[in-house]
Amino acid sequence: MKQTGIVIFVLLVIVGIASAVFRSGSSGPKWAKELSSTNPVVVETARAELLAGGEQRLTEMRQLLSAPASEKWEQDAVQLRVLEILQELGPAAQSAGPEVAALVADGMPHVASVAAQTLPAIGAPAGLAVPVITRSIQREPTVVPLRALAEYHEEAGETVSLLMEIMNRHDLDVETRWNAVRTIGKMREAGVPAIDALGALLNDKEPTVREHAAEALGDIGPTASRAAVALIAALDDEYVKVRRDAVRSLGQIDPDRTIAVPAIEKMLEDPEQIVQDAARQALERLNAPAPSVE
C-alpha cells in the first residue's frame, strides 16, 4: 500500500508539472485551436486571456505567428487574431517585431497587410519595419502598407522616389495614388525631392489627388516655398477641399508675402466656410491679420 501511495504521488507530481509547462510555455496548440475555433465564444475567451496576459503571453503569441500550419487549425486565422491582440497591446508588444516583419515579407496577402499596420502600432523600429514595408509596396502598391509607412515620417524618407512613381501611376486606383501623396507629406522635410512633382499634381484630373497634393506641400513646410505659385493657382479649383488645403498650405510654407497674402485674402470671400476659415488661419500664420470688415 505504501508503495502504491508513493507511485500515485509521483504520478500526480508529473501531471502537475506537465500541466504547468503546457500552460506556460508549450500551449501553442491550445491557443491555435481556440483562436481558430468556429465558436465565437471560444475565440473571444482565448483572445481576452491572451490580451490580459500582456507581455507575459508575448512568447506564446510570437510562437503562434511563426508556427507552421497544422491540420487542426487555420494558420492565417490565428495569425490575424494574434496581430489584432498585438495592436491592442501597442508598444508593450514591441519585442514581437521580428515575427510581425516576417509576416509582412512572407505571409498570405491579407495577413501581410495587417502585419504591416501592426509594425508601427507596436512601435517596431524603422530599421526593421521600413525595409519590409517598402518591399511589400514594391510587390503590390496598396493603401494599408502606404499608411503604415507614413507612421515612420522622416525615417521613411528613402522611399520618396518610390512613392513619386506610385502617385503618378494612373493604372492604380485613386485611393492608392493619393495615399502615396499623403505619405510623402508625412515625411515632412524628407519629402523635399517631391515638391515639384506635387506641384504638378495640383493639375491632376482626380480631385482627391489634387487635394492631398496641396495638403502634402503644406506638411513639408517652409522648404516648399517654391510651390507657392502652384498653390495660388489651385485657389481657383472647383473642388472645395482643394481650395481649402491650398490656402491652408500657403500659410505653412514660406511664400513671397507680396503675392501670397492678397491671394489668401480673396479666399475670405469664398462661398464655403471651411475655405474662409483656412484663409484666416493662413493669414495668422503669416502674421498678416485679415482685413477688418467695414
Side-chain angles (χ1 to χ4, degrees):
M1 291 291 292
K2 184 176 182 180
Q3 289 180 335
T4 302
I6 292 173
V7 170
I8 293 173
F9 175 76
V10 171
L11 287 173
L12 288 172
V13 170
I14 292 173
V15 170
I17 293 173
S19 177
V21 170
F22 179 80
R23 292 295 294 171
S24 64
S26 303
S27 52
K30 163 194 154 46
W31 295 120
K33 181 179 179 181
E34 293 180 3
L35 289 173
S36 61
S37 172
T38 57
N39 186 331
V41 175
V42 172
V43 172
E44 183 54 32
T45 300
R47 198 193 74 82
E49 188 172 345
L50 284 169
L51 183 60
E55 295 180 63
Q56 295 179 350
R57 293 293 187 190
L58 273 178
T59 298
E60 293 162 297
M61 286 189 277
R62 293 174 67 177
Q63 290 172 348
L64 287 169
L65 291 179
S66 57
S70 166
E71 295 178 1
K72 298 179 181 179
W73 55 284
E74 292 291 337
Q75 184 185 42
D76 55 347
V78 173
Q79 289 170 339
L80 286 170
R81 283 165 180 156
V82 171
L83 289 170
E84 291 170 0
I85 296 169
L86 294 178
Q87 288 183 29
E88 291 189 60
L89 288 174
Q94 188 180 82
S95 63
E99 289 77 20
V100 177
L103 288 180
V104 178
D106 300 315
M108 296 292 288
H110 55 295
V111 174
S113 182
V114 176
Q117 70 184 47
T118 302
L119 286 172
I122 65 174
L128 172 67
V130 170
V132 293
I133 295 174
T134 301
R135 287 194 290 273
S136 172
I137 294 170
Q138 288 171 328
R139 288 195 304 271
E140 183 180 1
T142 55
V143 171
V144 173
L146 285 169
R147 285 188 166 266
L149 192 64
E151 295 297 318
Y152 287 94
H153 305 292
E154 294 94 336
E155 292 181 291
E158 65 196 51
T159 65
V160 169
S161 59
L162 171 63
L163 297 172
M164 289 170 64
E165 291 177 14
I166 294 170
M167 72 187 193
N168 284 307
R169 279 185 56 181
H170 294 274
D171 60 310
L172 295 173
D173 64 274
V174 175
E175 189 176 10
T176 297
R177 290 183 61 217
W178 72 249
N179 268 281
V181 173
R182 172 185 176 275
T183 300
I184 291 175
K186 297 302 179 184
M187 294 175 182
R188 304 188 181 99
E189 289 195 5
V192 165
I195 288 174
D196 294 336
L198 290 170
L201 282 184
L202 293 173
N203 294 311
D204 194 89
K205 67 177 183 178
E206 298 292 346
T208 50
V209 173
R210 301 197 303 272
E211 170 194 347
H212 288 280
E215 179 185 34
L217 287 166
D219 287 341
I220 290 172
T223 50
S225 59
R226 68 177 184 266
V229 173
L231 286 169
I232 289 172
L235 297 178
D236 291 326
D237 198 288
E238 63 180 0
Y239 192 58
V240 60
K241 290 184 179 179
V242 177
R243 300 199 304 275
R244 177 200 63 188
D245 287 357
V247 74
R248 183 166 56 196
S249 290
L250 281 169
Q252 294 172 306
I253 64 175
D254 187 20
D256 179 344
R257 284 160 173 72
T258 61
I259 62 170
V261 170
I264 295 171
E265 288 178 342
K266 288 182 181 179
M267 304 312 291
L268 295 172
E269 300 176 3
D270 191 273
E272 299 292 340
Q273 187 65 47
I274 61 171
V275 178
Q276 297 174 28
D277 293 342
R280 291 190 185 90
Q281 292 167 6
L283 290 171
E284 289 174 5
R285 279 177 171 268
L286 297 175
N287 293 316
S292 59
V293 179
E294 294 294 334

